Amino acid sequence: MEPTAARRCHLLFAVSLILLTIGIGYCVIVGTCLADFAVVVAGLVAGWIALFYCLGHASGWG
């Protein structure tokens, strides 16, 4: 994998994990889950984008 693609891949996964941690952690600590539902969904979307981006730029494909 190219260095720029690897950096983007790591950044996308990091953003996804941070969003999921904030969304789920807020729900567990505070107890209200309606406001942070969008944060969890954004984390899941970022995770799927990261997965497909990393698979698409993997050196074994192509």
Side-chain angles (χ1 to χ4, degrees):
M1 185 180 299
E2 303 141 9
T4 56
R7 272 185 251 130
R8 286 182 188 146
C9 182
H10 292 143
L11 182 66
L12 283 169
F13 273 122
V15 167
S16 172
L17 288 176
I18 289 170
L19 287 173
L20 287 171
T21 301
I22 290 171
I24 294 171
Y26 185 83
C27 182
V28 169
I29 292 172
V30 178
T32 58
C33 297
L34 184 61
D36 59 343
F37 180 71
V39 177
V40 172
V41 170
L44 291 172
V45 168
W48 279 105
I49 290 171
L51 178 68
F52 290 132
Y53 181 82
C54 294
L55 284 177
H57 285 86
S59 60
W61 295 77

